[in-house]
Amino acid sequence: MTVYRGFVADTPDDPFTGAPLRAETDAALLVRDGVIVERGSAATVLADNADEDVVDLEGGVLIPGMVDTHVHLPQVRAIGGLGMPLLDWLEHRALPEEARLADDAYAKGVATDFLDGLARAGTTSALVFGAHFSGAVDELFAQADASGLRITSGLVVSDRMLRDDLHTTPERAYAESVELARRWHGHGRLRYAVTPRFALSTTREMLDACEQVVRDVDGVWFTSHLNENPREIETVNELFGPGYDDYLDCYDQHGLLGERSVLAHDVHPTDRELQRLAATGTVISHCPTSNASLGSGLFPMRRHLDAGVRLALGSDVCAGTGFSLLKEGLQAYFAQQLLAGVGVPLTAAHLLWLATRAGALGLGLGDEVGDLSVGKAFDAVWVRPAEGSTLAVNLQHAVDEPDAVARLFALGTPGDVAQVWVAGSPLL
Ligand SMILES: [Zn+2]
């Protein structure tokens, strides 16, 4: 057994319902077989376990492993394409890079860069938009299995309006998806997610094929995009036509909403869509740097909360500008500040919740990870800035624990992540 001693901060209960940050400057966690078995003040835990190894995490803050609910495998090498709205950015930046994953050797390198990027940013669980090529997705799963990260992913399927080399048929999409799910769904910490790119690039027949995979593979997840950009929404409504109420209805009519469904963005929802998201338990992955970078808009968080929609955070690399959920938390805060009068005033507790526990709940991992309570796996991040750095100075001068966590979100980067554990095993 090992005792981890340091400044520990987490959010076991929802700050949106008034729960406070849980933080203690000199706390200790006793970990056995990767699971937290005792938690308390350092004095108490150390006195109870005098013979155990102690890992002293002096300086910095220990937080739960972060949970990214929307991030694209093939885009790790294409971050930073600024100055384009969604559909232009897809054509000129994202899709040319995605096409390169047809080459298995290239895809192998991308999977390595991608998983390294997650771990170095302190992300221990993620719902990953895979590639359009089953070889690349197979490679991701194989490397994710070896890495120890908790990864849910799947083959991205489309049959129109992208580029010919990224299109497939509903029959082939079904067959390849079921085969990948057979190999990897439920294997170790891996799960399969049915992943049509978005309604714009999928015909009704393709959504039928997706529905069939969801029916045929027990416990499979579903993910896609929703209501990101006005031109995208207009095109989806034209393509699907009068038989569909709105963008969300494209997924709903094909049986694709529910508590294991996660849709990214929803920057421009209708009231009907919000009600339907809440009624089905579908999770919205809020991706704030992506929304800002592509000029998609400011996320109406207040309307989602009022409607009772489940929310989590996503980096959306590479429309998002990096893997760090500390940065996404800060950008979520900025966006709400800019929504004068209708934004949600986010505190440090909200940001930590969105980056950790909300994501764990959104991905159905709430019993295992997301906070550092007794009984949870020791998935944790030690943010320990370099001596003399501005973050180190600011942590030393924080007025209280919530202030220290706010400073962590204001200044923290992947360069400040000193160690990451999944179920007690160090990743860095
Ligand atoms: Zn995305």
Side-chain angles (χ1 to χ4, degrees), residues 111-302:
T112 303
D113 292 345
F114 176 81
L115 293 167
D116 278 356
L118 289 181
R120 286 166 191 263
T123 296
T124 51
S125 302
L127 175 57
V128 179
F129 240 75
H132 287 270
F133 306 99
S134 63
V137 179
D138 198 53
E139 180 65 29
L140 171 73
F141 275 126
Q143 290 193 31
D145 190 36
S147 76
L149 292 166
R150 301 178 198 274
I151 298 294
T152 306
S153 188
L155 179 71
V156 182
V157 300
S158 288
D159 59 348
R160 67 179 174 197
M161 295 188 73
L162 297 180
R163 358 179 324 154
D164 286 347
D165 53 357
L166 296 179
H167 292 157
T168 186
T169 63
E171 295 74 23
R172 185 172 169 189
Y174 174 85
E176 291 182 349
S177 299
V178 168
E179 174 59 16
L180 283 164
R182 190 189 62 75
R183 282 169 62 78
W184 298 110
H185 183 61
H187 179 87
R189 298 178 186 136
L190 309 177
R191 300 176 306 178
Y192 194 79
V194 175
T195 313
R197 185 164 201 112
F198 54 166
L200 188 140
S201 69
T202 46
T203 62
R204 292 173 179 77
E205 292 72 26
M206 184 60 87
L207 292 176
D208 283 339
C210 291
E211 180 176 13
Q212 201 56 49
V213 181
V214 170
R215 287 177 191 277
D216 291 351
V217 183
D218 196 32
V220 79
W221 283 71
F222 170 78
T223 192
S224 194
H225 295 97
L226 176 71
N227 289 328
E228 182 173 2
N229 166 291
R231 203 174 123 214
E232 168 214 19
I233 296 166
E234 195 180 294
T235 309
V236 167
N237 287 332
E238 283 168 14
L239 288 167
F240 279 84
Y244 292 79
D245 284 341
D246 43 43
Y247 198 153
L248 184 71
D249 205 28
C250 303
Y251 304 125
D252 199 1
Q253 286 202 25
H254 294 269
L256 296 169
L257 303 185
E259 292 184 352
R260 288 198 304 273
S261 297
V262 180
L263 293 168
H265 302 306
D266 207 29
V267 181
H268 308 283
T270 66
D271 289 342
R272 195 207 75 85
E273 287 174 309
L274 290 170
Q275 287 163 13
R276 190 65 191 142
L277 287 166
T280 55
T282 302
V283 176
I284 290 297
S285 176
H286 172 35
C287 306
T289 72
S290 169
N291 295 164
S293 182
L294 298 180
S296 301
L298 295 168
F299 180 66
M301 186 178 287
R302 173 79 69 196

Side-chain angles (χ1 to χ4, degrees), residues 13 22 24 49 90 95 107 125 212 233 248 304 329 364-365 374 415:
D13 300 310
R22 178 170 67 171
E24 193 172 358
N49 302 280
L90 276 172
L95 299 184
S125 302
Q212 201 56 49
I233 296 166
L248 184 71
H304 284 77
L365 298 170
V374 169

Side-chain angles (χ1 to χ4, degrees), residues 5-9 56-66 119-123 324-327 352 355-356 372 378 380-387 389-392 395-396 404-421 428:
R5 176 184 186 176
F7 179 170
V8 177
D56 203 338
L57 305 175
E58 198 182 337
V61 184
L62 185 76
I63 61 174
M66 290 184 274
R120 286 166 191 263
T123 296
S324 178
L325 291 180
L326 297 176
K327 179 159 73 171
L352 188 59
T356 58
L372 298 170
F378 185 63
V381 182
W382 184 31
V383 185
R384 205 302 188 193
E387 203 72 40
S389 67
T390 306
L391 176 54
L395 289 177
Q396 283 159 14
V405 174
R407 292 169 189 233
L408 199 66
F409 276 92
L411 288 161
T413 71
D416 301 307
V417 172
Q419 188 52 277
V420 180
W421 296 263
L428 303 182

